[in-house]
């Protein structure tokens, strides 16, 4: 790869590596190049062999409309959320949606879990 270049582009409105054209999933793995490492991610709720991206895509692809509720369902799906997730956000400036959450950390001792009311 060229450190000064673009490795690949994902464009909303176009078909992007198993995604519909109305959303893009960004992960820590280069899934557009079939990066095998996503299959060995131990942080997912279903463990090794179950990429978190595929769980999120299943939720998104099962919905005709992508609402904030669908997006939250996708990022909170037991197969999609990592055991060490500490911060999540669904933000849409045009619609005035600012949903910031601190999910319960599955790997944290109870004394370190923060709950906001």
């Amino acid at each position: 790869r060229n450190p000064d270049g673009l490795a690949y582009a994902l464009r909303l409105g176009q078909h992007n590596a198993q995604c519909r054209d109305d959303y893009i999933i960004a992960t820590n793995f280069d899934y557009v190049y079939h990066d095998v490492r996503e299959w060995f991610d131990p942080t997912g709720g279903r463990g090794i062999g179950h990429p978190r991206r595929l769980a999120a895509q299943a939720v998104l692809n099962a919905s005709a409309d992508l609402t904030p509720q669908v997006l939250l369902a996708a990022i909170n799906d037991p197969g999609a959320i990592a055991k060490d997730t500490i911060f999540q956000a669904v933000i849409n400036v045009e619609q005035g949606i600012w949903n910031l959450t601190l999910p319960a950390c599955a790997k944290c001792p109870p004394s370190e879990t923060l709950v906001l009311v």
Side-chain angles (χ1 to χ4, degrees):
R1 294 185 184 176
N2 177 354
D4 295 323
L6 180 65
Y8 56 86
L10 300 174
R11 291 185 171 84
L12 195 59
Q14 295 179 3
H15 182 75
N16 290 299
Q18 303 167 12
C19 296
R20 296 186 330 213
D21 65 358
D22 59 346
Y23 72 85
I24 294 172
I25 290 184
T27 72
N28 293 339
F29 306 105
D30 292 329
Y31 68 89
V32 296
Y33 293 135
H34 307 289
D35 188 346
V36 70
R37 294 175 300 164
E38 78 173 340
W39 291 88
F40 296 99
D41 179 5
T43 66
R46 295 199 172 90
I48 293 174
H50 303 279
R52 295 184 300 127
R53 173 185 59 84
L54 295 179
Q57 277 184 281
V59 173
L60 297 174
N61 289 341
S63 176
D65 296 314
L66 298 181
T67 64
Q69 294 78 16
V70 172
L71 296 177
L72 285 171
I75 64 176
N76 285 300
D77 183 85
I81 193 167
K83 296 173 187 168
D84 54 358
T85 297
I86 59 170
F87 180 79
Q88 296 173 319
V90 173
I91 300 170
N92 184 323
V93 177
E94 291 176 348
Q95 305 232 351
I97 297 169
W98 299 85
N99 186 320
L100 309 176
T101 58
L102 300 171
C105 177
K107 292 177 71 176
C108 299
S111 62
E112 293 183 23
T113 300
L114 175 64
V115 178
L116 300 176
V117 179

